[in-house]
Structures are given as structure tokens and as C-alpha cells.
């Protein structure tokens, strides 16, 4: 179970948007981008929760890792290609809806496997919300520039991705748990980085900003859920 959940999370690890803006946005434009980003993020999180609920009601089995991998990267690059058009919004909902659908079977697995599965899910959900709101709020109010985290996050995601594959191939639960801890730190860094880029006008596209924050939240939730399951799950 742990390895399947790990690959679900690792296979949806964020492909970081490395395109640098040619000219930072003005303060007014940056504030508008922040509003648009959080509005779209809120709607996509709700939509994702709906698709996760549908998957849970249908009692869908976890998707094969290859389907998850192809589906995520295919939809991610579709969003990237359409980010400057109205179709980019449609692509965002396709991506977040798909990711929500993959999340439903994982939640079912925890609630059916652990006696305290529902509590584990709520702990992961609550912790994710507190971490995201805290980090985003800090980056927005402090206005500190966290772009220096970019190299750490990009390198860390690649290392964690490879380590996660190794944990699956060689059945190393200890390494799997370590990868989950790595992803918690990496996604925290990504939230700070992305929010900071919006504040300082380095990020110019609210669609890509939404996707980055959404995937950070998704991976953060999955990572925390696996950690709580290993450390506090009751068989």
C-alpha cells in the first residue's frame, strides 16, 4: 500500500515552470494576478474534491502508475501549451479533475485499511491547509523574495523522484518514508517560491501559477497522509 501511494505522489511531482518573465509585472498587475490565481485555485480545489468524491463513491481502484504518469504529464504540458488562451482554463480543470480522481482511491484505501483512516485523512487535510495558508500568508505579507529557493526545489524534486522510484523497485519502506518527508519540505519551498514570484511580479501567468500551487498542495497532502499512516496508522 505504501509503495502504491508513494508512486501516486511521486509520479505527480511538479514539473517546475522554469520560464523567466522577460519583464516583471507592475504592482497593480501583480495584485491582479494574485487575485486571479487564488480565485482559480479555490475553484479547482473544489472541483478536484468533487471528482475525488465521485471516485470514492464508485469505489474506483487505484489507477496504474503508468496511467497516472501519462495522464498527469500529458495534461500538464497541455496546460502549459494553452496557458495564454481561454482553452488553458479548460485544460486546468481537466488536469485538476484528473488528479482529484486519482486521489479518491487513495483516500478509500486509507479509510478501509486503517481503523483510524478517517482521522488520518482529516489530519493530513488540516495540516495541509495550515501549512499552505501559513506559508502563502507569510510570503504575501512579508513580501520577501524567495526566488533563491528555485534551485533547491528543482534539484530536490528530481532527487526525490528518483529516490521514490528506487523505493518502489527495491521495496524500501524506510526510503519511501524519507521521500515523503522530502516532499513535505520541497512543496513548502515551492509554495513560498511561487507566492513570492507573484508578489514580485516575476510570475506573469495566473494559469501556471494556479497549477504550481495546486500540485504543491496535492503533493503536500499525499506526503503528509503517508507519513501519518506509517507513524500513526491503526491496523
Amino acid at each position: 500500500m505504501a509503495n502504491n501511494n508513494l508512486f501516486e505522489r511521486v509520479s505527480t511531482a511538479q514539473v517546475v515552470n522554469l520560464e523567466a518573465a522577460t519583464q516583471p509585472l507592475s504592482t497593480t498587475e501583480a495584485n491582479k494576478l494574485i487575485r486571479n490565481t487564488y480565485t482559480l485555485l479555490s475553484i479547482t480545489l473544489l472541483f478536484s474534491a468533487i471528482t475525488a468524491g465521485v471516485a470514492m463513491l464508485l469505489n474506483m481502484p487505484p489507477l496504474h502508475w503508468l496511467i497516472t504518469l501519462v495522464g498527469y504529464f500529458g495534461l500538464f504540458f497541455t496546460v502549459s501549451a494553452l496557458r495564454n488562451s481561454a482553452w488553458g482554463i479548460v485544460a486546468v480543470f481537466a488536469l485538476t479533475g484528473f488528479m482529484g480522481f486519482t486521489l479518491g482511491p487513495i483516500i478509500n484505501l486509507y479509510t478501509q485499511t486503517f481503523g483510524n483512516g478517517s482521522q488520518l485523512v482529516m489530519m493530513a487535510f488540516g495540516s495541509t491547509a495550515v501549512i499552505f495558508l501559513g506559508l502563502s500568508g507569510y510570503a504575501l505579507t512579508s513580501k520577501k523574495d524567495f526566488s533563491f529557493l528555485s534551485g533547491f526545489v528543482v534539484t530536490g524534486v528530481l532527487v526525490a523522484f528518483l529516490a521514490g522510484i528506487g523505493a518502489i523497485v527495491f521495496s524500501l519502506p524506510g526510503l519511501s518514508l524519507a521521500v515523503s518527508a522530502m516532499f513535505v519540505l520541497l512543496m513548502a519551498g515551492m509554495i513560498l517560491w511561487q507566492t513570492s514570484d507573484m508578489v514580485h511580479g516575476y510570475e506573469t501567468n495566473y494559469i501556471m501559477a494556479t497549477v504550481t500551487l495546486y500540485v504543491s498542495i496535492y503533493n503536500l497532502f499525499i506526503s503528509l497522509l503517508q507519513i501519518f499512516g506509517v507513524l500513526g496508522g491503526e491496523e
Side-chain angles (χ1 to χ4, degrees):
M1 178 196 65
N3 284 344
N4 288 337
N5 290 341
L6 173 62
F7 208 100
E8 287 281 353
R9 175 177 46 70
V10 172
S11 63
T12 55
Q14 172 69 338
V15 177
V16 182
N17 180 21
L18 299 178
E19 294 181 358
T22 56
Q23 183 176 357
L25 299 177
S26 66
T27 301
T28 302
E29 291 172 327
N31 289 337
K32 180 180 179 181
L33 182 138
I34 291 171
R35 288 194 300 271
N36 290 339
T37 297
Y38 282 102
T39 298
L40 182 58
L41 179 63
S42 299
I43 298 172
T44 53
L45 286 171
L46 177 60
F47 181 64
S48 185
I50 292 173
T51 59
V54 170
M56 293 174 67
L57 289 174
L58 296 176
N59 201 26
M60 293 291 295
L63 296 181
H64 190 278
W65 66 266
L66 185 58
I67 296 176
T68 301
L69 189 66
V70 172
Y72 169 71
F73 283 112
L75 289 170
F76 177 84
F77 287 116
T78 299
V79 172
S80 182
L82 299 174
R83 64 187 181 277
N84 293 317
S85 71
W87 285 105
I89 301 293
V90 177
V92 169
F93 278 97
L95 172 62
T96 56
F98 173 76
M99 294 181 72
F101 197 75
T102 67
L103 186 60
I106 298 175
I107 295 176
N108 270 346
L109 190 61
Y110 273 82
T111 56
Q112 295 168 7
T113 301
F114 295 107
N116 61 338
S118 297
Q119 289 87 347
L120 295 175
V121 172
M122 292 307 299
M123 284 174 58
F125 175 78
S127 298
T128 300
V130 169
I131 292 172
F132 174 73
L133 293 175
L135 293 177
S136 291
Y138 178 71
L140 288 171
T141 56
S142 70
K143 300 187 183 303
K144 290 184 178 181
D145 190 342
F146 290 100
S147 60
F148 66 89
L149 292 173
S150 60
F152 167 77
V153 171
V154 173
T155 303
V157 167
L158 293 175
V159 172
F161 182 86
L162 295 176
I165 293 176
I168 294 169
V169 172
F170 299 106
S171 300
L172 301 172
L175 180 58
S176 176
L177 183 61
V179 169
S180 294
M182 288 176 63
F183 262 91
V184 170
L185 294 176
L186 290 168
M187 294 306 104
M190 187 173 290
I191 291 169
L192 285 173
W193 172 21
Q194 180 61 76
T195 307
S196 170
D197 274 7
M198 291 191 295
V199 170
H200 294 281
Y202 302 145
E203 174 61 74
T204 62
N205 189 285
Y206 75 95
I207 288 179
M208 295 308 300
T210 298
V211 170
T212 301
L213 291 176
Y214 174 91
V215 176
S216 299
I217 293 170
Y218 180 97
N219 284 313
L220 184 59
F221 173 79
I222 292 294
S223 300
L224 289 170
L225 183 59
Q226 183 164 0
I227 291 173
F228 292 154
V230 172
L231 300 180
E234 299 175 358
E235 297 290 343

